[in-house]
């Protein structure tokens, strides 16, 4: 594996942890607060997402196209979101996660098939 791939995926994993909390944790903890409070707190958490996501994409762009970077991002997002949804938000496990994952496998194949030679 190459450095750009490892660095990109590692930074995107960390970035997505912040992103997922910024986007969804307020639903569990701030439901009785005005939306502006949730938005401002989420925005503060999202800053850390961007501090990791921007370098991830800059490093990744050395080796991958923008489309490939986006597909990597989506795979990472689902990989973080599913455990977050199940463990933190206590949502039930649904077969839909499997189907979404299989669709992403297809997306990865089509975005990277030219690089698989």
């Amino acid at each position: 594996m190459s450095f750009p791939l490892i660095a990109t995926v590692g930074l995107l994993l960390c970035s997505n942890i912040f992103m997922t909390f910024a986007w969804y944790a307020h639903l569990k903890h701030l439901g009785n607060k005005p939306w502006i409070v949730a938005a401002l707190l989420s925005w503060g958490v999202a800053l850390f997402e961007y501090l990791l996501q921007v370098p991830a994409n800059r490093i990744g762009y050395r080796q991958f196209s923008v489309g490939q970077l986006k597909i990597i991002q989506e795979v990472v997002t689902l990989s973080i979101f599913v455990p977050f949804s199940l463990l933190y938000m206590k949502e039930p496990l649904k077969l839909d996660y499997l189907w979404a994952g299989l669709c992403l496998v297809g997306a990865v194949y089509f975005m990277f098939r030219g690089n698989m030679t």
Side-chain angles (χ1 to χ4, degrees), residues 17-19 21-23 40-50:
I17 291 169
F18 285 107
M19 178 194 76
F21 275 90
W23 284 21
L40 291 173
L41 287 171
S42 293
W43 204 11
V45 172
L47 170 65
F48 295 101
E49 173 208 350
Y50 284 104

Side-chain angles (χ1 to χ4, degrees), residues 38-84:
L40 291 173
L41 287 171
S42 293
W43 204 11
V45 172
L47 170 65
F48 295 101
E49 173 208 350
Y50 284 104
L51 291 174
L52 297 166
Q53 177 267 340
V54 170
N57 283 330
R58 286 179 170 235
I59 292 167
Y61 193 61
R62 295 180 199 166
Q63 181 174 340
F64 305 110
S65 70
V66 174
Q68 290 171 328
L69 285 170
K70 183 60 181 168
I71 294 302
I72 292 169
Q73 170 69 30
E74 294 305 326
V75 170
V76 168
T77 297
L78 192 59
S79 299
I80 296 297
F81 180 77
V82 171
F84 172 87

Side-chain angles (χ1 to χ4, degrees), residues 5-23:
L5 176 62
I6 294 168
T8 299
V9 171
L11 287 167
L12 287 176
L13 281 167
C14 295
S15 166
N16 267 271
I17 291 169
F18 285 107
M19 178 194 76
T20 302
F21 275 90
W23 284 21

